[in-house]
Amino acid sequence: MKLSACIVVYNGYDEALKAAQTVLRFTRRHPLTLYLVDNASPDGSGQKLEAALRSGLLAAGEGQQVVVRCRTENGGFGTGHNMVLPELDSDYHFILNPDIQLTADTLSDLADWMDQHPDVVMARPALVFPDGRPQQLPLRRCALRPMVYRQLPALRFWAKYNDAYLMKDKDLTRPTEIEFCTGSFSAVRTRTFRAVGGFDEKYFMYVEDADLTQKMRTQGKAYLVPQFTAIHAWHRAAHRSLKPALWQTGNLLRYFSKWGFRW
């Protein structure tokens, strides 16, 4: 079985380096190609990653390969990930954020689990904060009320819609079929990822992972597989500043026009 993984970087060299190092350190059971795609970072992260590869800070182990790609312009999250799509010859591919850290061979674990469940084309592990607290991430399709509530939590009368978005009505301690697989850490069958054309590059940032999940679900099932875990720092920029929030709002409208409105 062959694995591949991609981390798209925009500034934040130190965090991306740490993420890449944990992927290389813990992914040992299957051959791995790790791609680091720099989205024209103004802080020189791409050049620093190239230097880290040359110096051995990104040392590939047996059966591993590290590839750094530096884009000349920032095309967004999906475009960065799609850059490596033509090169993939793996069985399973992993879409990872630079704020992810592994503490076990989670990539191999997920790949093995998916190999045993041929109807599953996309999956993610349980994610936790660096202090070990579990993260509650969307698991159902995007809908307007929970998205608004997540920006404006003072609207407490809509909290129940957010609870539904998080599938709090389900037992999430065992593998569960989901409708939304977060782009911070997703495993995909490579042949299916290629068949659907990867990410829709019209989404510059935000909601592109929800869109990809729906594309993948036209070919099979998406699952949360909580017995496997990873650390996710989860910076949540859309909740802290106006520009990312506007990107998210515009992309949500695009998503609804494509997949249907949910109130």
Side-chain angles (χ1 to χ4, degrees):
M1 186 187 297
K2 296 170 67 175
L3 309 182
S4 57
C6 183
I7 299 173
V8 171
V9 181
Y10 183 76
N11 294 336
Y13 159 78
D14 291 332
E15 184 174 61
L17 177 66
K18 189 172 184 179
Q21 288 173 330
T22 68
V23 169
L24 294 171
R25 182 182 313 131
F26 287 102
T27 308
R28 294 296 183 183
R29 207 151 66 242
H30 301 298
L32 169 73
T33 300
L34 173 62
Y35 296 91
L36 298 166
V37 177
D38 180 72
N39 243 338
S41 297
D43 71 350
S45 287
Q47 291 71 36
K48 292 176 184 177
L49 288 170
E50 289 179 323
L53 183 58
R54 291 192 300 269
S55 70
L57 277 175
L58 282 171
E62 183 178 354
Q64 295 180 338
Q65 181 182 9
V66 182
V67 179
V68 176
R69 297 274 187 263
C70 292
R71 294 177 52 82
T72 58
E73 62 180 6
N74 182 6
F77 180 86
T79 300
H81 278 286
N82 283 355
M83 184 178 185
V84 306
L85 191 59
E87 304 178 39
L88 300 181
D89 65 350
S90 56
D91 299 292
Y92 297 94
H93 180 66
F94 293 83
I95 298 158
L96 305 175
N97 266 13
D99 59 356
I100 288 288
Q101 293 178 39
L102 299 187
T103 58
D105 196 350
T106 305
L107 271 58
S108 298
D109 290 337
L110 271 174
D112 288 343
W113 187 90
M114 291 178 70
D115 213 45
Q116 296 164 11
H117 298 80
D119 57 338
V120 177
V121 296
M122 191 175 197
R124 79 160 177 87
L127 297 175
V128 299
F129 289 102
D131 63 5
R133 289 178 296 123
Q135 292 183 359
Q136 295 181 328
L137 290 159
L139 297 170
R140 287 197 168 104
R141 280 184 56 182
C142 292
L144 183 61
R145 284 180 290 195
M147 296 291 281
V148 171
Y149 172 81
R150 292 166 76 81
Q151 295 288 345
L152 301 169
L155 302 176
R156 298 186 183 278
F157 54 92
W158 276 2
K160 61 182 179 181
Y161 300 110
N162 186 58
D163 289 346
Y165 193 40
L166 301 175
M167 288 181 66
K168 287 189 175 181
D169 57 326
K170 299 294 184 181
D171 178 6
L172 300 180
T173 63
R174 58 185 181 181
T176 304
E177 186 174 359
I178 59 177
E179 299 175 335
F180 187 160
C181 201
T182 176
S184 54
F185 193 132
S186 293
V188 293
R189 289 187 187 271
T190 305
R191 66 175 182 270
T192 309
F193 187 50
R194 292 172 67 98
V196 302
F199 284 95
D200 182 341
E201 296 183 10
K202 293 178 182 177
Y203 296 86
F204 179 79
M205 189 176 183
Y206 302 115
V207 193
E208 67 279 272
D209 50 357
D211 180 87
L212 177 64
T213 306
Q214 299 315 309
K215 291 169 68 176
M216 295 291 289
R217 290 178 70 235
T218 65
Q219 308 296 313
K221 297 178 180 179
Y223 259 76
L224 168 69
V225 192
Q227 63 265 42
F228 310 126
T229 62
I231 295 170
H232 176 215
W234 200 9
H235 299 308
R236 304 186 74 179
H239 296 259
R240 298 199 313 270
S241 56
L242 179 60
K243 190 173 182 179
L246 292 175
W247 279 338
Q248 188 178 62
T249 301
N251 284 346
L252 183 61
L253 295 175
R254 182 184 300 279
Y255 174 91
F256 284 147
S257 69
K258 188 173 179 180
W259 298 105
F261 177 77
R262 281 196 176 185
W263 172 241

